[in-house]
Amino acid sequence: MVLIDRMSTPSQHLQSMDMLSAAQERMNRLQDQVSSGKAISRASDDPSATQSAMKLRAEHTRLTQVKLNVDNGLLRLNATMDQVDSINNQLLRVQDLLVQGQQPSATANVRSALAAEVNVLKDTLLFAINSDFAGRQLFSGSSGAATAYDNAGNYLGDTTAVSTRVDPDSTVRTDVNGPEVLGTGAANAFAVLTSIASNLVNDPNSLAADKTSLDAVINTARGAQATVGTRITQLTELRDLAAAKEVDLAEALSAVEDTDLTKTIMELTLQQTGYEAALHATASVMQPSLMDFLR
């Protein structure tokens, strides 16, 4: 019996020390959670929560890229809309000049002045359609052409769409090419404006046919204006949706990773109280007695 008692006392001491060490570790972990505000500092703290956090962070990374794509797409589309609006205004001004030139009261000098303004507007139109964005032409499709149109009004770009990816399976087009704004072939805006300027001076009777051609060009430009506006609305809605989803992801990640301070502080207080009580009890048990010395 004496031998058993001699062996049991050191064993009890070791067990007490192990319990104190475990309690100290729990307190340290709770103190880390309070100071950092994070419930997870290592994957081993909570493997399941860590896996959930990794998935949420991966989704957040994907969403960040989508927002970047959408923002870049909106910048390009807004720049495009500015120029398409300008082009529409210029075409409407040409329409007004043409109508003035058709009036019986319009003299040759008046029509000559009107023709000169049409030529100026044609140059302004060329400047607008050759606008660039971030070093690339807005209206030349995906081509690397230095300008969308040459000085003679010939299209130099291609018809390949420029798009931005908004999710793994979907893209939104962020361009309109020159022919989609100004028309194609002999019916394009430059050919029509050249004819109007010439007929104002040389053949006023042909202005009626020019007006029909100009109306068609204006309808094409207005269609491009509506198309760009629709895409801007679409990307704006996607941006707002992504922003709302980003808030939801942040809240979900916070629920997984962040510490519930009230709960954790209460738990830490209980652990500290229990630890102090265990220290006192262990100290009492481990004090050497007279029998320990006699053994």
Side-chain angles (χ1 to χ4, degrees):
M1 293 296 294
V2 173
L3 179 60
I4 293 174
D5 192 41
R6 285 181 178 179
M7 292 179 63
S8 63
T9 299
S11 176
Q12 290 173 353
H13 291 173
L14 287 173
Q15 185 178 16
S16 296
M17 293 303 296
D18 287 342
M19 292 175 61
L20 287 173
S21 177
Q24 180 68 59
E25 185 177 346
R26 286 194 296 272
M27 281 198 305
N28 290 341
R29 185 169 65 252
L30 290 170
Q31 287 171 342
D32 287 343
Q33 290 177 4
V34 171
S35 61
S36 68
K38 297 295 181 182
I40 304 172
S41 58
R42 297 178 298 273
S44 58
D45 291 342
D46 190 335
S48 177
T50 299
Q51 186 176 19
S52 296
M54 289 175 64
K55 289 180 179 179
L56 289 169
R57 289 191 179 281
E59 177 63 14
H60 185 270
T61 299
R62 186 195 69 79
L63 191 62
T64 298
Q65 184 60 55
V66 167
K67 286 180 62 183
L68 179 62
N69 292 348
V70 168
D71 286 342
N72 288 337
L74 280 171
L75 287 172
R76 182 185 176 97
L77 283 171
N78 283 320
T80 300
M81 181 61 91
D82 288 343
Q83 299 307 322
V84 172
D85 286 345
S86 174
I87 288 168
N88 271 278
N89 290 335
Q90 291 161 34
L91 292 173
L92 290 174
R93 176 56 182 165
V94 172
Q95 186 182 56
D96 182 53
L97 296 174
L98 186 153
V99 170
Q100 291 181 45
Q102 287 181 298
Q103 300 304 310
S105 59
T107 64
N109 287 337
V110 169
R111 290 197 304 273
S112 180
L114 295 174
E117 186 174 348
V118 169
N119 283 325
V120 170
L121 288 168
K122 185 172 68 171
D123 291 340
T124 306
L125 195 70
L126 181 64
F127 181 81
I129 203 68
N130 282 335
S131 297
D132 64 7
F133 172 78
R136 295 184 65 87
Q137 288 289 301
L138 279 173
F139 300 100
S140 64
S142 65
S143 78
T147 59
Y149 285 81
D150 63 19
N151 290 334
N154 298 307
Y155 184 57
L156 305 178
D158 60 30
T159 57
T160 303
V162 177
S163 301
T164 188
R165 185 161 296 282
V166 295
D167 65 44
D169 302 314
S170 303
T171 60
V172 174
R173 190 174 170 189
T174 57
D175 81 313
V176 285
N177 59 52
E180 290 174 323
V181 181
L182 301 182
T184 60
N188 78 53
F190 294 110
V192 172
L193 266 62
T194 297
S195 178
I196 291 171
S198 175
N199 288 332
L200 278 168
V201 175
N202 302 311
D203 188 6
N205 292 328
S206 295
L207 290 175
D210 286 336
K211 186 176 185 304
T212 300
S213 298
L214 180 61
D215 288 344
V217 171
I218 290 173
N219 286 336
T220 298
R222 283 176 173 168
Q225 194 175 37
T227 296
V228 174
T230 298
R231 291 172 186 163
I232 288 174
T233 299
Q234 183 180 3
L235 285 185
T236 300
E237 290 174 350
L238 285 171
R239 182 185 62 188
D240 294 343
L241 184 63
K245 191 171 183 180
E246 190 173 39
V247 172
D248 292 341
L249 280 174
E251 291 176 352
L253 190 60
S254 175
V256 172
E257 288 187 331
D258 291 353
T259 301
D260 183 339
L261 284 177
T262 301
K263 178 181 177 182
T264 305
I265 290 172
M266 289 180 62
E267 187 176 350
L268 177 59
T269 301
L270 290 173
Q271 285 289 336
Q272 288 173 332
T273 301
Y275 181 73
E276 290 170 1
L279 272 178
H280 180 73
T282 301
S284 299
V285 170
M286 294 181 66
Q287 286 180 357
S289 65
L290 178 60
M291 290 301 296
D292 291 325
F293 285 112
L294 292 176
R295 290 170 185 161

